[in-house]
Amino acid sequence: MRIAIVTEQEYLEKGWKEDNILRIKLISLLRSEGYKFSESNVVIIDWRDKLIDLHGFDAIFISSSWNAVDFPNEFKEWLIKSESDGVPRLINCKEMILKSLDKKYYFQELASVLTNQNLVGGLIPTYFTPSRSENNANQKINFDQVQSFLKNLGCSSNEIVVKPRISADGKDVSKIKLDLKNDQTINEDLQVALGKNKVKESGGMIQPYISAIDTQGEYQLLFLNGEFSHATVKLPGFGSCDECPEYDETMNKFAAAIYNEAKRLSKNKKLKKNNQ
């Protein structure tokens, strides 16, 4: 059984801590079941490396390919290519990744789930601006439109955030204070924010600023094969929680879940090959 952990070139060269820990734990699990040459059975790869034969893996786990947001169309092609032989090998949900690349469509998917399943809760009011490739790309956005949109949703804030629809690294994100400024100054600040490269290219999203992110952080919920696995807290300032007492136990459970899914995919691959 061959497993690939997917990263990007920068982290392949530097070594992403969680990827290295996951690889060690997967190798240990392979050895415990009697696999020979287990170290070469689990590799960390750069998703943009054209020399890698993706079809040679039984299972592929996308872990730290953060630069996918810089090459969204190329990444979409890579996702499709990974299973172009008709054999499922992605541990991550391909459909969900494709939807979540552009936060506008991910937002729409989440809103639909909340509505259809009558779930309690809501999404942060978000005003989306068009991407460079969309029909209304030249549409002029002014603060009056944004303010009216937020007020209609019963939302008021002293600050707004403008960020790209396709992003994962905080680049080209702007925070605009609304108090003690006249509308003309706010609108000028908004135009500067909307004119940043990533916002212009992928489209933007304008939201009220949630101050708790700076003081308490935010929760991340992880699901494996449709089932809740664990939650983490992204601390303010991108702090790390790898020194928490639960860290090693969580990584063990996470590696075990990845391993079990890899075994399932490997078994299905062999069945499909035998039936051909």
Side-chain angles (χ1 to χ4, degrees):
M1 180 166 62
R2 298 195 69 220
I3 305 171
I5 300 170
V6 180
T7 185
E8 59 175 89
Q9 183 178 0
E10 179 182 352
Y11 294 115
L12 185 63
E13 294 172 353
K14 290 181 178 179
W16 184 254
K17 179 178 178 179
E18 277 70 24
D19 287 348
N20 291 331
I21 291 174
L22 177 60
R23 178 173 181 264
I24 290 169
K25 291 184 181 297
L26 289 174
I27 288 171
S28 177
L29 288 167
L30 281 167
R31 283 177 176 164
S32 70
E33 295 198 358
Y35 280 91
K36 297 180 179 179
F37 310 109
S38 54
E39 288 193 17
S40 61
N41 286 30
V42 185
V43 294
I44 302 174
I45 64 171
D46 170 20
W47 73 272
R48 299 192 74 205
D49 188 341
K50 301 293 192 296
L51 298 179
I52 293 176
D53 177 17
L54 298 175
H55 297 169
F57 295 103
D58 297 286
I60 297 174
F61 175 63
I62 302 170
S63 174
S64 52
S65 54
W66 307 117
N67 66 346
V69 296
D70 297 323
F71 311 97
N73 292 330
E74 184 181 336
F75 188 64
K76 289 176 185 177
E77 292 173 1
W78 180 89
L79 283 170
I80 294 169
K81 181 181 177 182
S82 69
E83 297 180 336
S84 61
D85 59 345
V87 177
R89 56 176 55 84
L90 280 174
I91 292 176
N92 316 71
C93 177
K94 179 171 63 179
E95 290 72 22
M96 184 57 68
I97 292 175
L98 288 169
K99 288 178 180 178
S100 63
L101 268 176
D102 187 330
K103 293 183 179 68
K104 177 180 179 180
Y105 303 112
Y106 186 47
F107 189 96
Q108 291 172 347
E109 180 76 9
L110 290 174
S112 175
V113 170
L114 286 172
T115 300
N116 293 337
Q117 297 189 18
N118 295 316
L119 297 176
V120 176
L123 300 173
I124 297 172
T126 305
Y127 186 98
F128 290 98
T129 66
S131 68
R132 193 191 297 274
S133 62
E134 290 175 331
N135 293 333
N136 54 344
N138 295 322
Q139 175 186 347
K140 184 76 171 177
I141 308 296
N142 59 55
F143 178 62
D144 287 341
Q145 292 170 272
V146 177
Q147 191 175 42
S148 176
F149 173 82
L150 293 176
K151 281 185 177 179
N152 286 339
L153 293 175
C155 178
S156 62
S157 176
N158 291 327
E159 292 179 286
I160 57 173
V161 176
V162 182
K163 50 191 175 183
R165 280 165 38 184
I166 300 178
S167 179
D169 49 17
K171 288 181 182 177
D172 289 350
V173 174
S174 305
K175 186 164 68 171
I176 302 173
K177 290 184 177 295
L178 306 181
D179 54 344
L180 306 179
K181 286 184 179 181
N182 58 46
D183 286 357
Q184 181 178 343
T185 302
I186 294 172
N187 201 50
E188 289 171 357
D189 291 344
L190 179 61
Q191 299 313 311
V192 171
L194 292 174
K196 292 185 176 180
N197 287 335
K198 278 184 171 288
V199 178
K200 281 199 302 183
E201 185 63 34
S202 73
M205 46 196 301
I206 306 171
Q207 299 174 320
Y209 179 65
I210 308 300
S211 59
I213 292 174
D214 272 345
T215 58
Q216 301 173 29
E218 53 187 315
Y219 290 101
Q220 299 173 321
L221 307 181
L222 282 82
F223 292 79
L224 293 172
N225 202 24
E227 294 186 5
F228 176 70
S229 169
H230 62 282
T232 61
V233 179
K234 184 190 289 184
L235 301 173
F238 297 97
S240 172
C241 62
D242 58 7
E243 294 181 0
C244 299
E246 302 89 355
Y247 179 79
D248 194 56
E249 181 185 352
T250 298
M251 284 300 294
N252 285 334
K253 290 180 179 178
F254 184 63
I258 294 293
Y259 184 68
N260 288 334
E261 185 63 10
K263 284 203 301 182
R264 185 187 68 81
L265 289 168
S266 178
K267 182 179 180 181
N268 289 346
K269 180 182 178 181
K270 290 176 182 176
L271 289 173
K272 186 176 181 67
K273 186 175 181 180
N274 291 336
N275 290 333
Q276 287 179 340

